[in-house]
Amino acid sequence: MIRRIVVLLFLCGGTCFSVLAQKFVWKAGMYNFFENNEFANSRLQIPQTMAGVHLAPQIGLQIDGNQRIFAGFDAMHEYGSNEFADFLDPIAYYEFQNRSFRFYAGAFPRKAVLDRYPRIFFRDSINNYLPTVNGIFWEYREDANFFNVWLDWVSRQTVTRREAFFVGWSGRYNIDVLYGQHIGYMMHYAKTKQVDNLDHLYDNILTLTSLGIDLSHKTNFEQLEANVGWVFGLEQDRDMGDSHHPQGFLSELKVEYKGLELFNTFYKGKNQQVFRNVQGSALYWGEPMYQSSTYDRADLSVLFYKSDAVNLKLTWSLHFAESTVYYAQLFTATVELDNLGRKKGKRARYLWDNLLK
C-alpha cells in the first residue's frame, strides 16, 4: 500500500513539474461592431441595425515552440439589451503552427481561419453572432501560397435540432503578381431524431474559382488587387429530388491607400440560395442579396487606425440590386493582444498624418 502511495505521489509530482515547466500564454480580444442596413422595400433583405461588443479572453499553455492549448470564452453583449451577455461561446482548442503547417482542433475563433471567404459564402453577421468554429482546420502554406481543409459542426442532432455541418476548403497559388484561387464548402442540413420525421434533407455546395492580379507590393498602395471568377453551386432537396445548379460571374476589386479603402464585388448569373424561402439562414450563411441575378456592392471605408493590435474602421456601403440602391453603415473597433511575441508590421500611413503632428 505504501509503495503504491509513493508511486502515485511521484507520478503526480512529475506531472505537476511538467505542467509548471510549460510557458503560460494568453490572448485577449475585444470586438465592437455597429451595422445599420437600410433595405426598405427589398424582397431579399430586411432593414435592421445590429450592434454589440465581444470580449474574448483566452489562457493557455505552450507545450513547445509549435504547440499550444487554449481555453476561454467569447461573450457578446448586444447594445440595448438588459442581459449581461446575450451570447456566450466556449473556446477550447489545440493549436499547432510551424513554418509550413497550421492545425486547430476544438472550438476556436472563426476569424483566425476563415477570414478569406467572400460574402457570397459568409455574410458579415456570421462573425458577429457565430464567432467560433467547432471542429478542425488544417492548412499547408509556403510563402503566400496555401491550401486548407476544415470541418465546422454547426448543430448536433436531437429530437428538436437538426444535424448540420460544413466541410470546406480553399487554396491560392501565386506566380509573381498573378494568382489563382479556389474556395468552396458543402453545408449538410439533415433531419432531427423525431419519429415519422417530415423534415427534408438538404445539401448546399458552393465553389468559386478565380484568377487575379495583386500589385500591392509593386506600387505605393497598401492594397491594389483584382480578380475575376466563376461561382458554381449545387443545391438539392434529397427527399423531393429537387436539384439546382446556380452559377455566375463574380469579380472583386480591393484598393487601399493611406487610410482610405474601396472594396467592390460584382455578381452576374443565376439566382443563388434557391431554398432560402423554405429554410432561411439556417441553410444559407451567405449574403441574402445574392438571391438577385445581378448584384454589386461597393464599400467605401476610412481606416482611422490600423495596426497588429488595434483597428478602427468606418464603412459606407452601397448595394445595387433589384433596380435599387440600398445603403448600409458599418463601424468596427478591434483590439487583439497577446504575449506570443508576434512580429510587428510597419506603421500604417494616413493622408491626415501631417494634421496629427
Side-chain angles (χ1 to χ4, degrees):
M1 183 66 179
I2 296 177
R3 180 183 298 178
R4 292 181 180 179
I5 294 175
V6 171
V7 172
L8 181 61
L9 290 174
F10 178 79
L11 291 175
C12 289
T15 302
C16 292
F17 179 80
S18 178
V19 170
L20 292 173
Q22 310 307 315
K23 176 185 177 182
F24 279 93
V25 290
W26 58 268
K27 299 179 183 180
M30 189 283 292
Y31 175 66
N32 174 88
F33 68 94
F34 177 89
E35 180 176 347
N36 179 47
N37 294 317
E38 301 178 17
F39 292 114
N41 303 316
S42 172
R43 62 178 179 83
L44 306 178
Q45 180 70 287
I46 62 173
Q48 61 179 327
T49 299
M50 295 174 285
V53 59
H54 287 260
L55 180 65
Q58 301 176 46
I59 59 172
L61 286 174
Q62 182 158 323
I63 301 171
D64 56 32
N66 300 322
Q67 301 180 80
R68 307 183 186 103
I69 55 173
F70 282 100
F73 60 86
D74 187 308
M76 196 270 271
H77 170 76
E78 287 190 295
Y79 289 175
S81 171
N82 293 325
E83 300 293 330
F84 179 78
D86 295 276
F87 299 92
L88 184 64
D89 291 275
I91 296 175
Y93 63 97
Y94 166 81
E95 173 188 15
F96 175 89
Q97 288 205 49
N98 63 15
R99 183 174 180 179
S100 299
F101 295 98
R102 282 200 299 164
F103 178 76
Y104 296 79
F108 46 90
R110 184 176 302 277
K111 285 184 176 180
V113 294
L114 301 181
D115 59 333
R116 302 185 185 102
Y117 275 69
R119 294 185 178 105
I120 194 171
F121 293 91
F122 294 114
R123 58 190 180 274
D124 292 330
S125 59
I126 293 299
N127 281 329
N128 299 336
Y129 290 91
L130 296 165
T132 59
V133 171
N134 292 269
I136 58 174
F137 174 90
W138 174 88
E139 180 176 76
Y140 170 76
R141 55 189 176 186
E142 182 179 347
D143 299 326
N145 307 316
F146 65 87
F147 173 76
N148 61 59
V149 292
W150 53 274
L151 167 70
D152 184 9
W153 205 273
V154 176
S155 176
R156 180 176 65 87
Q157 188 182 50
T158 68
V159 294
T160 58
R161 297 181 61 189
R162 291 172 178 258
E163 179 184 79
F165 62 84
F166 281 100
V167 175
W169 59 90
S170 68
R172 173 166 165 164
Y173 187 76
N174 300 267
I175 303 176
D176 196 21
V177 298
L178 303 177
Y179 66 86
Q181 65 179 6
H182 179 75
I183 299 170
Y185 65 41
M186 181 197 75
M187 165 61 143
H188 180 72
Y189 193 57
K191 303 181 180 184
T192 64
K193 287 184 178 180
Q194 290 179 343
V195 179
D196 299 326
N197 198 324
L198 299 179
D199 295 330
H200 292 189
L201 190 155
Y202 293 90
D203 291 311
N204 173 29
I205 300 173
L206 188 64
T207 66
L208 168 65
T209 303
S210 54
L211 299 175
I213 182 170
D214 188 349
L215 300 173
S216 304
H217 301 292
K218 303 288 185 178
T219 66
N220 203 30
F221 288 79
E222 282 72 27
Q223 285 193 89
L224 184 58
E225 178 182 347
N227 62 67
V228 295
W230 194 256
V231 175
F232 178 82
L234 171 59
E235 305 181 23
Q236 58 182 358
D237 178 341
R238 292 195 194 180
D239 292 277
M240 297 299 294
D242 191 8
S243 181
H244 301 268
H245 305 83
Q247 52 188 306
F249 170 84
L250 182 71
S251 68
E252 294 181 318
L253 173 65
K254 303 175 185 178
V255 181
E256 180 188 338
Y257 182 72
K258 291 188 176 182
L260 301 180
E261 182 184 74
L262 166 65
F263 180 25
N264 190 88
T265 57
F266 174 74
Y267 175 78
K268 179 68 176 180
K270 293 286 186 178
N271 307 68
Q272 299 285 331
Q273 306 176 18
V274 178
F275 299 113
R276 177 173 276 275
N277 291 335
V278 180
Q279 295 301 327
S281 59
L283 177 61
Y284 298 108
W285 289 31
E287 168 61 53
M289 299 302 282
Y290 284 98
Q291 295 173 86
S292 176
S293 61
T294 303
Y295 171 52
D296 185 86
R297 172 172 175 169
D299 287 353
L300 308 171
S301 302
V302 178
L303 309 176
F304 293 106
Y305 193 83
K306 181 179 179 181
S307 72
D308 289 339
V310 180
N311 286 276
L312 307 175
K313 184 176 182 179
L314 176 66
T315 300
W316 177 261
S317 185
L318 305 175
H319 300 256
F320 302 87
E322 304 176 285
S323 301
T324 306
V325 182
Y326 301 106
Y327 305 93
Q329 302 84 40
L330 303 91
F331 175 76
T332 58
T334 304
V335 179
E336 295 180 342
L337 304 173
D338 60 50
N339 68 338
L340 302 177
R342 296 178 302 169
K343 294 181 179 179
K344 300 297 181 181
K346 65 180 181 180
R347 180 184 180 279
R349 304 174 304 152
Y350 307 98
L351 288 174
W352 47 88
D353 271 341
N354 292 331
L355 299 178
L356 301 178
K357 293 181 179 180

